[in-house]
Amino acid sequence: MSQAALLDPLVPLAYRVRRTRRELPDIATLELVPVAGEVPAFLPGQFNMLYAFGIGEVAISMSGDPAQRGVFVHTVRDVGAISGAISRLGAGAIIGVRGPYGTAWPTTDAEGSDVLIIAGGLGLAPLRPAIYQVLANRARYGHVAILYGARSPSEILYRAELERWRRQLDVQLAVTVDHADASWRGDVGVVPKLIPRAGFDPTNTIALVCGPEVMMRFTATALLGAGVPAEQIHLSMERDMKCAIGLCGHCQFGPDFVCKDGPVMRYDRIAGFFAVREI
Amino acid sequence: MEGLERIVLEHPFFAGLEAKLGPVITGCARNHRFDPGQYLFHEGDPADEFYLIRHGSVALEILPPGQPAVVIATEQAGDIVGASWLVAPYRWRFDARARELTRAIGLDARCLRDKCEADNHLGYEMMKRFLPLVVGRLEETRLQLLDVYGKHRA
């Protein structure tokens, strides 16, 4: 957490949009640099609170390379007033930033193990920093597999990067889509279906999973079925975060607050809450 | 063990099958080779065979009226194509198209159904293999129907 945020954690700092990239019609990636001061270090899996002035604040995961200092990278989907305003910001615009907050993907604990990275839709964005970190330290891990599911071929996020990772000889990458016409040459089906082909040692695997909650539940079930112990499955949870520092309770999930006990949470600690309504 | 029997028993679908059932099942089996684009079967055709994919991949397609075919699933080496042979009136409910050179073992449905009727142990072994497959595909279809990556995602 930055010094300024420690002093007054609810006051955002001013950042400037350095560059934007339109990933998909409703998804943009923004590079943010501080108007004054330095960018604090962050861990893969953490998030920032981004403030669109006059509209509101929203939690958005880091999607950039943690080794690249001096910039925050966020990939934002237009799903409402705040995220829509942020996703339409252009270079030079000013935005408020608080963070980084939350728990991280266990990329260090996973050293020596096989790593199974499973993303669905926009869930690839919070996993991308972990992918960068694992690939930058590839020799420290066993088998590395990236499994990605998208709605359709035209809605594949970071397509150029996926193609680059696929060309890497020491990484297994598989992409599937839920729907396609006959011109699509790749797989069609849900992302858990890719798990049996991922070629990992289940007892020595750390699984990192991010996507819509239903997709993560199906995926966790498939991982358990493949023999991966629940404590080796990590999910990135999403709830309506407001304060982001464990005070307001908006993001409560069972006994935990997603903002401070998450967003990355171990499946064995949260599995019992998925089926609870109005949690 | 003969070549075809070995191939059948080495397919993941038959993992753990008692060796004595190998010749019984292989008696209903034959080899297939499908060129890219060739259809294994079409919707409405008699479901008189199902396939153990050994190599290649198969797209399961539905043809909406006046529109291009929609791929609902793809199956790879190690997968099974076809469950309609188990359920009357034994007609395929979709098209199956080889997306590349595909090699498969076809199992004659009537032959296998008759053997399952005559030997309930064999029938139970087949049910234990097909039921998880069918339930898995039902769950996958439900997940697809939820459209979790859509804007109003589940």
Side-chain angles (χ1 to χ4, degrees):
Chain A
M1 195 181 301
S2 72
Q3 188 64 20
L6 279 171
L7 292 172
D8 195 344
L10 295 178
V11 175
L13 300 176
Y15 275 63
R16 178 174 287 105
V17 178
R18 184 172 76 180
R19 193 178 300 150
T20 66
R21 175 187 170 85
R22 180 59 53 183
E23 306 284 357
L24 293 171
D26 60 346
I27 298 176
T29 294
L30 284 68
E31 293 180 12
L32 308 178
V33 293
V35 170
E38 293 186 350
V39 176
F42 72 91
L43 297 169
Q46 290 190 303
F47 67 94
N48 276 331
M49 297 299 293
L50 302 186
Y51 181 34
F53 292 112
I55 302 174
E57 203 176 36
V58 65
I60 303 289
S61 291
M62 310 289 185
S63 65
D65 185 348
Q68 184 188 2
R69 302 300 302 271
V71 62
F72 282 139
V73 179
H74 291 283
T75 300
V76 186
R77 186 182 194 187
D78 174 4
V79 291
I82 306 169
S83 59
I86 293 172
S87 71
R88 289 189 293 273
L89 290 175
I94 301 297
I95 186 171
V97 175
R98 291 194 291 128
Y101 296 123
T103 55
W105 296 112
T107 48
T108 305
D109 292 346
E111 290 180 6
S113 303
D114 292 349
V115 182
L116 198 49
I117 296 168
I118 308 176
L122 187 60
L124 186 56
L127 277 166
R128 191 167 67 163
I131 295 172
Y132 287 140
Q133 195 166 71
V134 168
L135 298 188
N137 301 283
R138 180 64 189 85
R140 297 180 189 171
Y141 301 92
H143 184 70
V144 174
I146 302 168
L147 312 179
Y148 177 57
R151 191 174 188 231
S152 70
S154 65
E155 294 167 90
I156 292 173
L157 187 65
Y158 306 145
R159 191 170 190 139
E161 271 188 305
L162 287 168
E163 288 171 355
R164 192 161 67 242
W165 294 332
R166 174 172 268 174
R167 287 194 295 271
Q168 198 163 324
L169 296 177
D170 54 3
V171 175
Q172 181 184 2
L173 190 141
V175 174
T176 187
V177 299
D178 277 2
H179 312 282
D181 64 26
S183 66
W184 167 247
R185 303 282 301 161
D187 288 338
V188 178
V190 295
V191 71
K193 197 175 167 184
L194 299 175
I195 291 171
R197 295 197 182 90
F200 55 93
D201 172 7
T203 58
N204 188 36
T205 289
I206 299 292
L208 316 179
V209 185
C210 188
E213 194 166 305
V214 171
M215 167 261 170
M216 291 199 291
R217 284 156 53 183
F218 275 80
T219 301
T221 301
L223 287 167
L224 293 174
V228 180
E231 63 270 22
Q232 292 168 209
I233 302 170
H234 301 261
L235 314 180
S236 181
M237 298 300 296
E238 184 176 341
R239 283 293 183 274
D240 183 20
M241 293 191 238
K242 295 293 185 191
C243 74
I245 53 175
L247 293 177
C248 73
H250 275 86
C251 64
Q252 188 170 357
F253 186 67
D256 296 324
F257 289 154
V258 172
C259 68
K260 71 175 182 61
D261 303 308
V264 177
M265 304 172 96
R266 250 173 54 178
Y267 183 64
D268 60 314
R269 293 181 177 160
I270 58 174
F273 299 111
F274 279 121
V276 179
R277 294 187 182 204
E278 309 210 3
I279 191 165
Chain B
M1 193 185 295
E2 295 298 319
L4 189 59
E5 183 182 337
R6 181 178 48 77
I7 291 169
V8 168
L9 293 184
E10 284 178 353
H11 194 278
F13 180 74
F14 284 119
L17 189 78
E18 297 157 67
K20 68 176 184 182
L21 295 177
V24 182
I25 290 168
T26 308
C28 301
R30 62 174 173 153
N31 260 310
H32 283 282
R33 176 189 189 277
F34 299 100
D35 291 325
Q38 186 179 351
Y39 281 83
L40 283 68
F41 50 78
H42 288 281
E43 181 180 349
D45 287 349
D48 49 13
E49 201 171 20
F50 75 96
Y51 301 92
L52 317 176
I53 307 299
R54 298 174 53 206
H55 170 84
S57 70
V58 174
L60 309 182
E61 300 177 348
I62 287 179
L63 199 60
Q67 293 177 44
V70 174
V71 180
I72 53 173
T74 51
E75 306 298 345
Q76 326 285 331
D79 290 337
I80 293 288
V81 171
S84 301
W85 69 278
L86 280 165
V87 186
Y90 312 120
R91 298 269 172 187
W92 295 120
R93 316 284 168 79
F94 46 79
D95 298 343
R97 176 178 54 83
R99 302 194 307 162
E100 56 191 295
L101 174 65
T102 297
R103 298 183 193 280
I105 300 292
L107 287 162
D108 182 280
R110 181 180 293 273
C111 169
L112 203 54
R113 282 198 302 263
D114 288 348
K115 288 184 177 180
C116 289
E117 283 289 348
D119 178 355
N120 289 170
H121 176 60
L122 171 64
Y124 185 60
E125 287 297 320
M126 292 300 293
M127 190 205 75
K128 282 195 294 185
R129 285 164 173 77
F130 259 97
L131 194 58
L133 186 83
V134 171
V135 170
R137 289 188 182 172
L138 176 64
E139 289 176 353
E140 290 162 14
T141 304
R142 284 173 173 162
L143 186 52
Q144 283 174 306
L145 283 172
L146 283 168
D147 193 22
V148 291
Y149 308 129
K151 209 153 192 171
H152 304 287
R153 67 191 201 184

